[in-house]
Amino acid sequence: MTKSEFVDQVADRSGLSKKDAGDAVDAVLATIEDALRRGSEVTFSGFGKFSVSNRSAREGRNPATGERIQIAASRVPKFSAGAALKKAVKY
């Protein structure tokens, strides 16, 4: 599902115009992004939790040449599905 298809479904289910639904979806995504940037977690009870995970620096290999390379430490977004979402997907 693309973002525009998602916005269409939000508009249909909420009774909002497509523009208002698009603005709402953009606002939700921006709010989650801002919270993660600050290092906060965003939890939707039953749906899941968005958080930030820290990856430590490590050594890797270039698959083309086999040369050893150093991979820098980084912060990455993470999503953990909640019980209700897992149950809904499982059928």
Side-chain angles (χ1 to χ4, degrees):
M1 174 182 293
T2 65
K3 183 178 175 184
S4 63
E5 292 169 339
F6 184 77
V7 168
D8 290 344
Q9 288 193 14
V10 169
D12 290 342
R13 291 181 184 208
S14 66
L16 295 172
S17 69
K18 286 186 183 181
K19 182 189 181 318
D20 290 341
D23 291 345
V25 168
D26 288 341
V28 168
L29 296 176
T31 302
I32 292 171
E33 184 180 318
D34 289 343
L36 294 178
R37 188 177 294 123
R38 290 190 313 269
S40 299
E41 295 180 346
V42 179
T43 304
F44 295 103
S45 183
F47 181 76
K49 177 172 72 171
F50 296 91
S51 60
V52 175
S53 182
N54 292 311
R55 285 190 183 162
S56 58
R58 61 198 185 279
E59 186 177 277
R61 289 191 180 268
N62 180 334
T65 64
E67 175 188 0
R68 292 181 180 198
I69 57 173
Q70 193 63 28
I71 301 171
S74 62
R75 292 171 22 122
V76 293
K78 183 170 104 175
F79 177 76
S80 300
L85 180 59
K86 288 179 185 178
K87 185 177 178 183
V89 171
K90 189 175 180 180
Y91 299 139

